Amino acid sequence: MSVSLNLDSRTLVTRIADRLREQIIAGELEPGARIRQDEYAEAFGVSRTPLREAFRLLDAEGWITTRPRSGVEVSRFSPAEVQDIITMRLLLEPLAIRVSAVTHTSEESAALRTLHERWQADRSRWQSQTEEYNAVNQEFHFALYGLKPGADPDPVYAGLRGYWERYTRYRRVYWHSADSMSRSSDEHAALLDAWLARDADRAEVVLAQHILHAGRSLVRSLAGDEPPAFSPQLIELAKRYDWPLS
């Protein structure tokens, strides 16, 4: 196993956790994969103490599962977990876009227009460039929410980023049809229009329905041939935004 770290000013524990999280999101560590402390301590060139602290952090975030006498493994996909993540996104992201819709600057407007134009120009090739698609999709959403790359987020934004990244892990595996990407692009245009118009009410509703639309498809994919059972929390939020889950 080859692991490399770009050293910076962050703590050792945070850097280790970030690298492991990146490997899980990218699919380099698959659901159920065992993470052996001795192998990773050697790969990172650290003692087991910071590695165990990084494991505790990732366990608390839901990325890995620590089992007594069984070790550490990458968390398996769970229909219940993905619905919890969608629920939390619906509680955090509509609030974030409401604030950003009425507080963004003219420079931020111009930057987001440019990003969206790049998205639309490359629309035909997203199906074969899923990694780039995921990166641009995240960049677009975070710009809508006022999240700045490299900035220290407040607790709301920190939580938002965490749930977004956990959701991306599911979407990377289960949701990359050409139709879903095309629909997402159309919904992004509607989001941008509302945001540029500083229409916080419309931006909130369009975003919530955007999340619900994609989330419903993902939950159905996880359910396979069985009809999905949606959580009471998700059902109530869908009612709030007039979006049918059935």
Side-chain angles (χ1 to χ4, degrees):
M1 176 180 58
S2 176
V3 177
S4 62
L5 284 174
N6 294 321
L7 300 183
D8 54 27
S9 60
R10 291 174 297 173
T11 68
L12 181 60
V13 170
T14 301
R15 284 187 275 120
I16 295 170
D18 285 351
R19 183 66 186 107
L20 286 169
R21 192 187 297 108
E22 289 167 2
Q23 289 183 318
I24 294 170
I25 292 173
E28 296 173 27
L29 289 171
E30 297 182 349
R34 292 287 300 276
I35 302 178
R36 302 184 182 280
Q37 290 191 32
D38 53 349
E39 291 181 5
Y40 271 80
E42 181 180 355
F44 285 123
V46 299
S47 69
R48 291 194 179 192
T49 299
L51 193 62
R52 283 195 293 265
E53 290 300 317
F55 285 167
R56 291 192 187 99
L57 177 61
L58 292 172
D59 196 327
E61 294 177 356
W63 294 102
I64 64 174
T65 302
T66 304
R67 303 185 187 281
R69 296 181 297 279
S70 297
V72 178
E73 68 176 37
V74 178
S75 296
R76 299 176 187 272
F77 290 123
S78 160
E81 183 197 23
V82 77
Q83 291 197 51
D84 288 343
I85 294 170
I86 294 167
T87 296
M88 292 306 300
R89 286 190 62 196
L90 285 166
L91 293 174
L92 294 172
E93 293 179 39
L95 170 62
I97 201 172
R98 284 193 66 89
V99 174
S100 181
V102 296
T103 60
H104 65 267
T105 65
S106 57
E107 290 80 8
E108 289 167 337
S109 294
L112 195 51
R113 283 181 189 273
T114 299
L115 178 60
H116 185 257
E117 288 170 1
R118 176 159 64 95
W119 173 291
Q120 294 291 64
D122 293 340
R123 185 168 173 168
S124 62
R125 68 185 184 88
W126 289 133
Q127 183 67 21
S128 61
Q129 300 289 334
T130 54
E131 291 302 314
E132 188 178 350
Y133 170 90
N134 282 322
V136 176
N137 186 44
Q138 176 174 309
E139 185 180 0
F140 179 80
H141 273 267
F142 282 11
L144 281 174
Y145 308 152
L147 281 171
K148 307 289 193 304
D152 292 329
D154 63 29
V156 172
Y157 283 160
L160 185 156
R161 186 185 296 273
Y163 286 114
W164 176 278
E165 290 176 346
R166 287 170 64 187
Y167 181 82
T168 298
R169 176 173 173 246
Y170 282 86
R171 185 180 58 206
R172 184 182 299 274
V173 175
Y174 286 99
W175 188 76
H176 269 307
S177 69
D179 287 345
S180 65
M181 290 182 179
S182 178
R183 187 199 68 234
S184 180
S185 293
D186 292 339
E187 292 172 352
H188 281 192
L191 273 171
L192 181 62
D193 286 345
W195 187 83
L196 290 172
R198 299 187 183 274
D199 188 338
D201 291 338
R202 180 158 58 99
E204 176 186 351
V205 173
V206 172
L207 174 64
Q209 292 182 347
H210 176 61
I211 295 170
L212 283 162
H213 199 163
R216 181 181 63 183
S217 297
L218 183 53
V219 171
R220 286 175 173 171
S221 296
L222 281 166
D225 295 331
E226 297 296 323
F230 294 100
S231 68
Q233 295 86 353
L234 197 53
I235 289 170
E236 288 305 310
L237 284 165
K239 289 179 181 177
R240 171 183 174 86
Y241 291 111
D242 194 26
W243 186 260
L245 287 174
S246 58

